[in-house]
Amino acid sequence: MASDEVKQLAELKDDNLPGALFLSIHRSQDSLRFASPKAVYSLKDSTIKAAEVEYIKVADAIIFPDQNKVTIGHMAEFKTLLNSEIIADSENRYHRIYNSKINIKGRYKYLATGDYDYIDENDEVQIIHFTDISVDTSRQTVAKAKVSIEEDFTLSPVYQYQGDIVLYAKNKYLTFNGGVKLDYECPRIGSHYTYFEDEINPDSIYIPISSTTQSVNGHGLHIASFITKDSSHIYSRFLERRRDPNDVALIDAIGYLHFDKNSNKYIVADKAKYIKPDTTGNLISLQRDFCLQHGEGKVDLGIDLGQIKLTQAGSVNHMLNENEIKTELVLGLDFFFSEDALDTLASQLQTARSLDPMSLTSDFFEKNMNELVGNTNYKEFNNQLMLYANEAKLPASAQHSMLFGNVKFKWYTENGMYLNYGKIGIATINNKPINKYVEGYFQILKRRSGDIMKLYFELPNGDYYYFSYTRGVMQTLSNNEYFVNAIQDIKKRARKMKTSRGETPYRYIIATEQNKVQFLRNIHLFEEEQAAKEEEKKLQEQQQKELEEWDQQIEDPNPNNENKEPVKEENEEGIEQ
């Protein structure tokens, strides 16, 4: 044989393996080949039994026969390989499938089954049995498996999984097409498997969540806190079904579901927010230890005040065990009103020196103003107020009748209302800088007949301001005569907002002293009721604690075995022996 021909045959061997080259000329096997230094050919049954076969390359896979032996039968048929191993693909070698049963059909085709080790973030191994291993049209190995609920398969200790698992040889990680169930003990309405399809890195699991995410049974699932339209309840869902399609989300989140081991909580947010937490966008988390569902970003209180517009960003916190809901917000309030009256109010707040300052550059304010208006507009807003004060020209998106820089609400289900707790931070009034905290009450009530808003605050010198809106009428009152005169100087018809047919009407008027007094009386009565409930709760907790301690003493009156006398036995007549 010529030297060139010998060289060509040597190159046909994969990596110049030792031994003879066995090359199939069967037209359906595309020059299937392997190398073996030791083989026996049987004339009786036309078989070749080859030994010391290191491996066989088929498509993108490297196949390692059990005991390095293969048998070729009649018409070049490869006998089934048992207990063999597949490495796929040959370039990256990401995946190893063992205990394999393999039928080699040609140079670019094989069929197999086999086992695969899924190693989670804690290095725990779970075996996936692939029942369908083959080569696709791009000559890539694809393996498919299905796991049932009964198999108790987990992506990690906090994610149970059921469904299909697909191995694409060129991809480093497996692709999951099925349902995942979260592991937590907090109050929940169901135990849903959330459907998704994605490639999963076991060391850093991110599961895609969209506005159309469903359970494996086709039910819509949500990550949000909702307020009902019919019964004025707020409830939270973390990959669970909402009560009614008409319920309004106070805050929701989409993006990717990730579990943070350090804080022991599930988080849903855009991936950019995981990398840089200060990035704008909604985030919702569920802390497993305390059963706290926390949301941050743009907030919708689910309130309709007609021509009065609310714009808010901040946080919503729901303690699931106690069903306690609190929010902390930057809140823009816009309404048709006398500009002179608002300027009078702003001027008095600006000159009130004993009020606590509120910073426009605090982390809370900066973060949530960025949510509301964007980074560029927030910087312009801040620069204008710092440089030009009352003459500032604020970006349109940052202009409000009143901008509250920090207001904290608690939701009271039995009353259907939000009521502030703590002082109210005012950033601007009529786009004039205030940056101060005031003592007062901010109440928003949800009612079927129409939502209601009431705002009252009082200054250290005794001056007060009262606003009350219900059913298209804003009532206001103050003991600052300049504020009241600024409104009374405007004709009544000019205090009525022009609205289109079908829109909620709006006008503003001077309230009576009785309106203000009644509001404060109601608030004070409510505060007394809440204080009494809190005392009753503390008393019950103390009584429960004492009962538990008493029960413990009965069960074991001397738990440390100190000065314990020996037990005396009694005979049948009950006489000590």
Side-chain angles (χ1 to χ4, degrees):
M1 183 180 290
S3 61
D4 288 346
E5 291 175 333
V6 172
K7 184 178 180 181
Q8 273 186 336
L9 287 173
E11 289 173 349
L12 285 173
K13 295 181 186 180
D14 293 321
D15 301 326
N16 296 320
L17 292 172
L21 171 68
F22 289 79
L23 176 67
S24 173
I25 60 172
H26 194 290
R27 60 185 178 182
S28 69
Q29 292 186 340
D30 297 306
S31 300
L32 174 65
R33 66 200 65 174
F34 65 90
S36 171
K38 186 186 295 185
V40 176
Y41 174 68
S42 172
L43 291 172
K44 181 179 180 180
D45 54 7
S46 300
T47 61
I48 299 172
K49 293 184 178 181
E52 298 181 24
V53 178
E54 292 194 25
Y55 58 78
I56 306 165
K57 281 190 174 180
V58 181
D60 65 342
I62 306 172
I63 295 173
F64 295 88
D66 183 39
Q67 299 182 6
N68 303 108
K69 295 178 180 180
V70 299
T71 299
I72 310 298
H74 181 66
M75 296 296 292
E77 179 187 1
F78 242 91
K79 297 298 182 182
T80 300
L81 300 177
L82 302 175
N83 300 318
S84 298
E85 187 171 301
I86 303 167
I87 299 295
D89 60 11
S90 59
E91 180 181 355
N92 298 302
R93 306 191 179 192
Y94 289 138
H95 307 288
R96 170 181 173 264
I97 304 172
Y98 59 96
N99 291 340
S100 299
K101 180 180 178 181
I102 308 169
N103 289 308
I104 298 176
K105 300 295 185 180
R107 187 179 178 188
Y108 303 111
K109 183 179 180 181
Y110 73 97
L111 303 172
T113 62
D115 295 332
Y116 181 93
D117 287 342
Y118 176 83
I119 305 173
D120 70 14
E121 60 187 6
N122 296 327
D123 293 328
E124 296 292 330
V125 178
Q126 296 172 90
I127 297 174
I128 299 170
H129 182 67
F130 286 110
T131 57
D132 180 4
I133 305 172
S134 60
V135 180
D136 67 13
T137 55
S138 66
R139 297 178 179 175
Q140 171 190 218
T141 292
V142 178
K144 298 177 182 178
K146 191 177 191 70
V147 294
S148 64
I149 296 177
E150 291 72 24
E151 292 177 71
D152 199 26
F153 183 86
T154 59
L155 300 180
S156 78
V158 297
Y159 295 112
Q160 291 180 287
Y161 180 80
Q162 63 153 318
D164 297 331
I165 303 174
V166 183
L167 178 158
Y168 296 101
K170 67 180 180 180
N171 295 347
K172 187 174 182 179
Y173 305 112
L174 301 178
T175 295
F176 292 82
N177 182 355
V180 65
K181 185 175 76 170
L182 310 189
D183 180 28
Y184 63 90
E185 300 299 325
C186 304
R188 60 204 296 184
I189 61 165
S191 189
H192 301 284
Y193 279 85
T194 303
Y195 175 78
F196 78 99
E197 181 177 2
D198 205 11
E199 188 178 348
I200 294 296
N201 174 0
D203 292 327
S204 184
I205 297 175
Y206 288 87
I207 296 171
I209 301 295
S210 72
S211 59
T212 58
T213 289
Q214 296 182 336
S215 71
V216 293
N217 297 321
H219 299 300
L221 301 180
H222 301 271
I223 296 178
S225 293
F226 291 99
I227 185 167
T228 61
K229 284 196 171 183
D230 55 349
S231 57
S232 296
H233 280 71
I234 290 179
Y235 63 95
S236 294
R237 295 289 184 259
F238 204 93
L239 288 176
E240 296 173 286
R241 299 174 67 183
R242 65 181 170 186
R243 294 180 182 176
D244 188 286
N246 294 318
D247 294 343
V248 176
L250 273 68
I251 189 164
D252 57 11
I254 57 174
Y256 286 86
L257 169 67
H258 177 67
F259 183 76
D260 185 280
K261 290 195 293 185
N262 294 328
S263 58
N264 197 27
K265 62 186 176 184
Y266 296 100
I267 303 172
V268 173
D270 190 86
K271 268 195 176 178
K273 204 166 181 68
Y274 289 109
I275 298 169
K276 188 179 179 182
D278 290 339
T279 303
T280 57
N282 284 14
L283 174 151
I284 291 182
S285 65
L286 176 62
Q287 212 289 334
R288 299 201 307 166
D289 294 329
F290 311 114
C291 291
L292 168 64
Q293 182 160 324
H294 166 83
E296 59 184 63
K298 288 186 177 179
V299 176
D300 182 348
L301 293 177
I303 296 297
D304 183 2
L305 296 173
Q307 301 301 332
I308 296 179
K309 305 304 177 186
L310 299 173
T311 310
Q312 52 270 314
S315 64
V316 177
N317 291 310
H318 189 173
M319 295 296 295
L320 300 175
N321 287 334
E322 293 81 19
N323 194 28
E324 180 181 86
I325 300 109
K326 291 182 176 180
T327 73
E328 184 172 6
L329 305 172
V330 170
L331 187 152
L333 187 63
D334 292 287
F335 52 95
F336 179 62
F337 205 76
S338 163
E339 292 207 14
D340 287 343
L342 291 177
D343 286 344
T344 298
L345 168 57
S347 178
Q348 185 170 22
L349 289 172
Q350 287 171 337
T351 56
R353 296 181 180 179
S354 58
L355 295 176
D356 292 337
M358 192 207 79
S359 174
L360 291 182
T361 58
S362 69
D363 291 342
F364 175 82
F365 185 77
E366 181 176 352
K367 176 181 179 180
N368 290 294
M369 278 298 288
N370 277 317
E371 290 286 352
L372 289 178
V373 304
N375 184 259
T376 301
N377 282 340
Y378 168 71
K379 287 181 178 178
E380 180 63 17
F381 164 87
N382 197 41
N383 290 338
Q384 283 285 329
L385 289 182
M386 293 295 184
L387 294 173
Y388 304 109
N390 287 350
E391 303 303 319
K393 295 182 179 179
L394 304 182
S397 60
Q399 295 181 17
H400 298 284
S401 304
M402 294 182 179
L403 176 62
F404 298 93
N406 188 298
V407 57
K408 300 175 183 178
F409 286 115
K410 182 176 179 180
W411 171 258
Y412 296 90
T413 299
E414 64 274 20
N415 306 92
M417 76 170 178
Y418 297 98
L419 182 64
N420 73 295
Y421 62 97
K423 294 182 179 180
I424 302 169
I426 303 178
T428 65
I429 290 181
N430 201 28
N431 304 314
K432 308 296 191 300
I434 306 299
N435 310 328
K436 293 177 181 179
Y437 284 94
V438 295
E439 296 278 3
Y441 300 102
F442 198 160
Q443 181 190 54
I444 302 175
L445 301 104
K446 189 165 182 60
R447 297 289 184 266
R448 290 184 180 182
S449 58
D451 298 340
I452 300 168
M453 181 197 75
K454 294 179 184 290
L455 172 64
Y456 174 90
F457 54 88
E458 191 170 310
L459 305 185
N461 67 354
D463 283 357
Y464 68 83
Y465 292 87
Y466 171 68
F467 298 84
S468 173
Y469 171 84
T470 181
R471 300 179 189 178
V473 180
M474 171 73 87
Q475 299 184 65
T476 187
L477 188 67
S478 174
N479 55 358
N480 181 339
E481 61 180 15
Y482 297 104
F483 176 86
V484 174
N485 291 340
I487 295 170
Q488 290 179 331
D489 287 346
I490 300 173
K491 293 181 179 179
K492 289 185 178 180
R493 64 174 178 270
R495 286 188 248 148
K496 185 176 181 180
M497 184 178 179
K498 294 181 180 179
T499 56
S500 302
R501 177 177 290 183
E503 287 187 341
T504 304
Y506 174 92
R507 61 193 175 99
Y508 61 94
I509 62 175
I510 297 296
T512 66
E513 179 73 14
Q514 184 180 357
N515 295 143
K516 184 261 296 185
V517 170
Q518 185 62 50
F519 168 68
L520 292 178
R521 182 184 294 117
N522 291 341
I523 288 291
H524 293 151
L525 286 173
F526 176 77
E527 288 178 332
E528 290 173 4
E529 290 173 3
Q530 294 303 306
K533 287 181 180 180
E534 191 62 31
E535 285 299 317
E536 179 66 21
K537 181 181 177 181
K538 289 180 180 178
L539 180 60
Q540 290 176 353
E541 289 174 351
Q542 181 62 32
Q543 290 174 341
Q544 180 64 30
K545 183 179 179 181
E546 291 172 355
L547 284 173
E548 290 173 356
E549 291 175 351
W550 177 251
D551 289 342
Q552 183 65 34
Q553 289 177 6
I554 293 174
E555 291 175 8
D556 191 355
N558 197 356
N560 297 321
N561 295 317
E562 295 175 359
N563 302 319
K564 185 176 273 187
E565 296 182 0
V567 177
K568 297 179 180 180
E569 297 182 356
E570 296 180 353
N571 60 20
E572 292 181 356
E573 287 75 25
I575 301 172
E576 292 182 356
Q577 296 179 344

